[in-house]
Amino acid sequence: MNIFSIARKLPAMLAATVLVMGAGQALAADVKVTDKTRAKGMADAPAILSASGAPCQIADAHHVGESNVTTADGKKSKVMVYEVACQTGPGYILAKNPDNTATAFNCTQAASQNALDPKATKCVLPGNAKHYAWLQSSVQTLGSPCVVNNARWIGSSDEAKLDRYELGCESGVGGVLDLARTGSTAKTSFDNCLVMEQRKVTCQFTTREQALAVIKPLAEKASASCQVNNSRLIGRVVADNEDYYEFGCANEPGFLVRAKSSGEYVAKISCANAGTLGPCQYTDAASLTASQNATYTKVLAAAGKPCTVESYNVIGTQTQTNRDFVEFKCPEQVYGLMGFIPNEGSTAKIDIFDCYAGVARKRECSLTPATVLTAHLDKLAKADKKDCDVKEVRYAGVTDSDGILVELACTNKRGYVAALSKTRTSYEDIVACNIAKNRPGYETCKIPGNGTYVSDVQ
């Protein structure tokens, strides 16, 4: 009898379980259920089942046979093999090992191994004919319309106490079931076969077209006009219980969709805003960028920020408000723009500010160099008749009047604390470091060595 592990590469969470009861006599092809094998099975199986720990109220049993094995010390021995059908749940192949321990694995696992090697023992009792039937209740609990008509075991994790199965469906669409065992802290889940495709494993009972059909409603919610011609699962954020998909359209630019792992639509994401999720594979990047530049130009104009967008950078997404954080470069805004742009479905407000405010909020611009900002601060200091060639700037915060509080360090060691006006055209106030430190409530200079100028005049 040859009972071996399924040699398939599994996701990092799972490792193939090795179920070995010995190798030798091939009984699988000629095992028959008789009154004699049933009698012996019903007599012997309860004790072996109890020793194995498998949950089962025996409805039927039979003695499969004996398998000759070689133990670790090189001695020949026998393994007694039984099959049991249970009143509920899966049936099992049981083995009484030479050391009197017992091993059990279910009939779906046995069928999966037999499909790869016909010499591997499988269940033959009438009650186990539909070896996959026991998985139906788990799928129904998860709300899937799948009516299970086939299943294969992919692998197990004893550490996570999880077993993974692919399910075929008579109605509904098949997928991958991660079944948590009793005592597991993991959750049972049922995923589209696209999850397996991403992990380089192809579903056997569900075609790719069938798998794609399941997620097509997500594309329809994102864009009713999109004629979907391609799609893929990008990945899953386990902590958020969310999946990200890309859809290509024959008649318009494609997009990404954010959805709950259970299948509910959450939001549409433009490929232009894909950020670290991109680049999109089904949409031309150049034409998409030009289109998005025009879209952002309109959005900024509506927010009272004239800006003919030449380039932009999607830094990230604020998930709690469903807003993208984006930086912009345009000729009208010398000091750059950045801020939060609401995505479709967001109820949050747009929030746009220049790079001075961005740096003060600990968000530095990349499309507008820091040297541009520093040069303007230097120009304003000289306009205020300050003897200062600015070499370093510390942004201290935002004033009550939406000005920017800065510390200026000069090459001659003079230093100043200044409040850049909301219009950015002048300083509301600018005082030397040695004066600022003596004024209650004033920001003080903190750049090392700043404000240590000493006059040469004696």
Side-chain angles (χ1 to χ4, degrees):
M1 185 180 301
N2 184 16
I3 300 175
F4 59 95
S5 64
I6 295 182
R8 298 210 182 274
K9 185 177 181 181
L10 302 170
M13 181 185 66
L14 298 182
T17 298
V18 179
L19 300 175
V20 178
M21 296 185 191
Q25 185 179 4
L27 302 177
D30 55 3
V31 170
K32 291 182 173 57
V33 179
T34 66
D35 290 343
K36 184 177 180 180
T37 64
R38 266 201 169 99
K40 183 171 179 56
M42 292 299 288
D44 298 348
I48 301 171
L49 181 67
S50 177
S52 73
C56 175
Q57 291 182 311
I58 296 177
D60 198 1
H62 88 114
H63 177 225
V64 177
E66 299 176 352
S67 175
N68 296 318
V69 298
T70 301
T71 58
D73 57 7
K75 296 180 179 179
K76 299 290 185 181
S77 188
K78 292 183 181 297
V79 172
M80 302 294 288
V81 182
Y82 297 81
E83 177 190 349
V84 294
C86 308
Q87 293 182 20
T88 58
Y92 294 93
I93 297 293
L94 303 174
K96 182 179 180 182
N97 302 312
D99 59 359
N100 287 323
T101 60
T103 307
F105 63 106
N106 66 57
C107 291
T108 301
Q109 292 171 327
S112 302
Q113 294 183 103
N114 180 265
L116 295 178
D117 181 359
K119 293 181 180 180
T121 300
K122 66 179 181 179
C123 297
V124 296
L125 286 171
N128 292 330
K130 294 183 178 180
H131 64 82
Y132 48 80
W134 66 283
L135 294 165
Q136 183 66 53
S137 60
S138 295
V139 176
Q140 283 180 328
T141 300
L142 294 170
S144 170
C146 173
V147 176
V148 182
N149 66 356
N150 211 338
R152 68 183 178 103
W153 173 66
I154 298 175
S156 299
S157 169
D158 288 334
E159 181 180 356
K161 295 184 180 180
L162 276 175
D163 297 302
R164 177 165 289 173
Y165 300 89
E166 180 199 349
L167 307 185
C169 305
E170 181 179 334
S171 61
V173 178
V176 179
L177 178 71
D178 277 351
L179 185 61
R181 303 176 195 163
T182 302
S184 174
T185 57
K187 292 183 179 180
T188 294
S189 63
F190 186 55
D191 290 313
N192 189 293
C193 282
L194 294 177
V195 173
M196 296 301 289
E197 181 182 84
Q198 189 187 44
R199 296 166 180 168
K200 311 302 181 184
V201 178
T202 303
C203 281
Q204 296 180 5
F205 308 133
T206 301
T207 66
R208 190 172 193 276
E209 289 70 25
Q210 290 172 325
L212 291 173
V214 174
I215 65 170
K216 190 173 181 181
L218 295 174
E220 293 171 350
K221 288 186 177 180
S223 173
S225 58
C226 172
Q227 298 172 8
V228 178
N229 61 4
N230 221 326
S231 56
R232 68 186 178 103
L233 171 71
I234 297 174
R236 168 168 294 173
V237 180
V238 176
D240 296 335
N241 250 344
E242 291 183 342
D243 294 329
Y244 288 82
Y245 298 92
E246 178 189 355
F247 293 92
C249 308
N251 59 327
E252 61 186 64
F255 47 83
L256 309 182
V257 167
R258 183 168 138 231
K260 289 296 182 183
S261 297
S262 52
E264 295 91 353
Y265 174 86
V266 176
K268 174 185 176 182
I269 303 170
S270 166
C271 281
N273 297 347
T276 57
L277 295 170
C280 285
Q281 296 183 4
Y282 310 134
T283 301
D284 175 68
S287 61
L288 185 66
T289 299
S291 173
Q292 190 62 28
N293 281 348
T295 299
Y296 276 140
T297 297
K298 292 179 181 178
V299 169
L300 294 171
K305 301 289 186 180
C307 177
T308 305
V309 177
E310 297 176 342
S311 57
Y312 64 90
N313 176 28
V314 180
I315 299 169
T317 300
Q318 190 178 49
T319 55
Q320 64 268 37
T321 64
N322 190 20
R323 296 186 298 178
D324 289 332
F325 188 65
V326 191
E327 178 188 356
F328 306 96
K329 181 179 181 181
C330 54
E332 298 90 338
Q333 303 291 338
V334 180
Y335 312 120
L337 284 180
M338 64 191 331
F340 295 94
I341 308 292
N343 287 310
E344 181 181 343
S346 173
T347 58
K349 294 181 179 180
I350 189 171
D351 182 16
I352 303 296
F353 39 89
D354 67 8
C355 291
Y356 281 118
V359 177
R361 297 184 187 187
K362 311 302 181 185
R363 298 178 182 275
E364 293 188 12
C365 293
S366 60
L367 299 179
T368 301
T371 53
V372 171
L373 306 183
T374 300
H376 183 58
L377 295 176
D378 178 80
K379 179 181 177 181
L380 293 180
K382 289 178 170 59
D384 212 292
K385 299 181 180 180
K386 303 301 180 186
D387 180 13
C388 181
D389 291 322
V390 177
K391 69 171 183 177
E392 186 177 351
V393 179
R394 179 178 67 88
Y395 292 84
V398 180
T399 69
D400 292 338
S401 58
D402 290 331
I404 306 299
L405 192 62
V406 296
E407 176 189 352
L408 308 177
C410 313
T411 56
N412 60 4
K413 295 187 179 181
R414 291 185 186 275
Y416 298 91
V417 173
L420 179 64
S421 68
K422 181 179 179 179
T423 61
R424 310 306 190 231
T425 57
S426 63
Y427 291 120
E428 295 174 359
D429 192 14
I430 179 169
V431 298
C433 291
N434 60 343
I435 297 175
K437 71 179 180 180
N438 294 317
R439 289 189 179 181
Y442 260 58
E443 178 71 17
T444 58
C445 294
K446 298 177 182 177
I447 296 174
N450 197 22
T452 58
Y453 168 84
V454 178
S455 174
D456 292 333
V457 178
Q458 301 297 322

